[in-house]
């Protein structure tokens, strides 16, 4: 079975229904419904405070205070703890780097593996792909912020996830490492890995994403391809405020 | 590689052989001191397993020591042989750790530390008030005829210290140890990369309770007397923490180095400044926290640590 056939069988790889999350009186997520096609790259955009990171937190199980349902490849992952969701094939990175500072780079990768076979070779191979193999024995804390973000990305690849949620992966990363990162995303996507990316750089969203979902005030405002959302009045209002 | 073999295999084997033949060569006083060193080493490594590895600072590790100590004090007068008593003491500590772990490991940071401290106090008060079983504050004295001799107790404590060190050695190099260290670094991120943090912490907690349970039984056999104040002594817990943090928390060699340094220093201070020796240990802890958060092992250069495999 080729990757396209597998992708169709798993479609949609992620389905979210009626997801709501309140913090006190604030509705961080307000009845969010969405579906992510298998094998796609979906951009998640919206102004600050629109609920993008909260949505990732709820999908990945970090925040289990939400109501609503979440399915991964047809299987309900609602209420599951993050490690079980990860082992089901959904991995994510954080907005701010969460590399383990006192573990070596190699250990940072090994701890995330879900298989016991040849994991050291696998980790070293990933490091080679981003030219960081010479840092394998360095502590996570000794890396630059951009390198840490990259290691965090490589770390989630150790489990061969089906779906990866990237929360502003390029924020604070220099252009060289950013290019390496986007190149890896493209290569993995070509092999069937699905991505959902929170990103503020619209050029990247346009280049990478087949679909864009716009969140505003905890609701899905609109979804479509980049061209459709670029000049949409509702989107412009959400970002810049309504004209008086 | 050659240096790593010396440090990881030759040195521990040499130290074990020296400790093994010591009863043939040294006085009763020095044998007694050696027993106390091994006792503290076993306790320090047990604290290292839960607190050094996971970052969950426990101020109640001594509660398991006390349970083991009282198990021996209650069972030995019934005519049981000392060897199965060590096993029962260990089992009792594990049985206590099972519900305690389920309850307390939901808490993080200072809340866990305070909960453990409180639990130790609760158990100490129960031991004081349950006069029928424990003889209350008067404690339990054991006839020397019921107890093994000093050499036997020394070897028992040596074996327990070696087992505790062995556990840390194996765990540190294992996938499980890596998961524990990831929890220490960032528990939420560890869970996000597939680590079942609840399970890992629970296993470490129960494992770390077993060692002081066994050590407590041997301590009663050595001391021949136990009361609630000595069995559930918070200062014993503080000594474990000082030893681990002085040497290097979360490492194999750190607690060994820390125990030797503190016990040596305590021996000197106890003789010259008996009233102040605990206060001085407190000051040492303060200095470590302020200036050497990773212990004296961190004073060596990274090259030496890698060359001699001291990062373990």
């Amino acid at each position: 079975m080729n990757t396209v056939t597998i992708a169709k069988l798993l479609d949609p790889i992620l389905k979210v229904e009626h997801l709501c999350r309140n913090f006190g009186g604030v509705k961080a997520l307000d009845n969010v419904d969405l579906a992510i096609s298998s094998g796609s790259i979906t951009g998640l955009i919206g102004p600050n405070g629109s609920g993008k990171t909260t949505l990732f937190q709820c999908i990945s199980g970090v925040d289990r205070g939400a109501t609503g349902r979440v399915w991964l490849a047809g299987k309900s992952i609602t209420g599951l703890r993050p490690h079980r969701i990860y082992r089901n094939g959904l991995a994510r990175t954080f907005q701010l780097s969460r590399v383990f500072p006192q573990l070596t780079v190699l250990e940072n990768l090994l701890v995330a593996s879900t298989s016991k076979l040849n994991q050291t070779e696998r980790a070293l191979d990933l490091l080679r792909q981003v030219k960081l193999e010479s840092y394998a024995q360095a502590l996570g804390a000794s890396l630059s912020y951009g390198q840490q973000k990259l290691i965090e990305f490589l770390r989630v690849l150790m489990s061969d996830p089906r779906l990866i949620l990237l929360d502003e992966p390029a924020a604070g990363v220099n252009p060289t490492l950013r290019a390496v990162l986007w190149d890896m995303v493209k290569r993995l996507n070509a092999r069937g890995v699905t991505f959902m990316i929170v990103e503020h750089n619209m050029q990247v969203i346009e280049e990478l994403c087949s679909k864009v979902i716009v969140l505003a005030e905890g609701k899905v405002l609109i979804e479509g391809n980049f061209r459709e959302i670029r000049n949409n009045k509702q989107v412009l209002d959400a970002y810049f405020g309504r004209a008086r | 590689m050659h240096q790593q073999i010396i440090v990881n295999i030759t040195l521990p084997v040499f130290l074990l052989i020296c400790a093994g033949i010591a009863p043939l060569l040294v006085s009763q006083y020095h044998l007694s001191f050696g027993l106390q060193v091994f006792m503290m080493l076993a306790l320090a490594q047990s604290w290292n397993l839960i607190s050094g590895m996971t970052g969950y600072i426990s101020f109640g590790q001594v509660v398991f020591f006390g349970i083991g100590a009282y198990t021996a004090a209650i069972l030995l007068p019934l005519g049981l042989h000392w060897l199965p008593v060590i096993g029962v003491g260990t089992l009792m500590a594990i049985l206590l750790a099972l519900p305690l772990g389920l309850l307390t490991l939901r808490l993080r940071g200072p809340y866990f530390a305070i909960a453990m401290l409180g639990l130790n106090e609760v158990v100490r008060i129960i031991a004081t008030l349950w006069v029928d079983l424990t003889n209350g504050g008067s404690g339990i004295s054991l006839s020397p005829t019921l107890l093994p001799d000093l050499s036997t107790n020394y070897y028992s404590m040596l074996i327990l210290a070696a087992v505790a060190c062995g556990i840390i050695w194996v765990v540190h190099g294992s996938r499980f140890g890596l998961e524990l260290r990831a929890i220490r670094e960032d528990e939420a991120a560890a869970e996000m990369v597939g680590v079942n943090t609840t399970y890992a912490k629970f296993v470490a907690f129960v494992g770390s309770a077993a060692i002081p349970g066994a050590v407590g039984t041997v301590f009663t056999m050595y001391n021949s007397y136990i009361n609630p104040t000595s069995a559930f002594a918070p200062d014993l817990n503080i000594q474990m923490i000082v030893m681990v943090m002085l040497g290097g928390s979360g490492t194999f060699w750190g607690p060994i180095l820390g125990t030797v340094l503190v016990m040596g220093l305590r021996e000197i201070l106890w003789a010259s400044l008996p009233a102040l020796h605990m206060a001085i240990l407190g000051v040492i802890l303060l200095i470590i926290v302020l200036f050497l958060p990773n212990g004296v092992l961190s004073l060596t250069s990274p090259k030496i640590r890698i060359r001699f495999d001291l990062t373990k």
Side-chain angles (χ1 to χ4, degrees), chain A residues 172-234:
Chain A
V173 180
N174 71 49
T176 313
L177 288 178
R178 217 179 292 164
V180 172
L181 174 74
W182 296 135
D183 182 53
M184 278 201 89
V185 168
K186 282 181 204 164
R187 278 192 282 138
L188 287 162
N189 181 246
R191 280 164 36 195
V193 180
T194 310
F195 285 89
M196 195 171 174
I197 305 174
V198 169
E199 178 58 51
H200 288 297
N201 186 334
M202 291 302 145
Q203 203 180 332
V204 171
I205 293 287
E206 182 177 15
E207 191 190 328
L208 286 179
C209 303
S210 51
K211 177 178 162 185
V212 181
I213 296 171
V214 185
L215 277 185
E217 295 173 357
K219 293 177 184 170
V220 175
L221 194 64
I222 185 172
E223 51 185 280
N225 62 41
F226 185 77
R227 202 171 290 173
E228 285 166 349
I229 63 114
R230 183 170 53 187
N231 295 317
N232 184 285
K233 189 175 177 308
Q234 284 178 292

Side-chain angles (χ1 to χ4, degrees), chain A residues 60 62 81-83 86-87 90-92 94 98 100-103 107-108 110-114 137 155-156, chain B residues 172 175 178-199 294 306:
Chain A
S60 62
V62 174
R81 288 184 49 201
H83 73 274
Y86 180 82
R87 285 167 188 272
L90 189 155
R92 68 165 288 194
F94 291 90
R98 300 281 283 269
F100 303 118
Q102 294 304 314
L103 300 190
E107 286 174 334
N108 260 282
L110 290 177
V111 76
S113 70
T114 47
Q137 294 304 327
R155 192 166 71 183
V156 300
Chain B
H172 203 287
R175 158 96 199 171
L178 186 57
E179 291 183 353
L180 295 181
R181 288 185 291 135
I183 291 170
R184 179 187 66 196
E185 298 295 307
D186 186 336
E187 188 167 344
E191 184 142 25
M192 207 54 254
V193 292
V195 177
N196 186 346
T197 55
T198 307
Y199 174 77
N294 295 320
I306 290 169

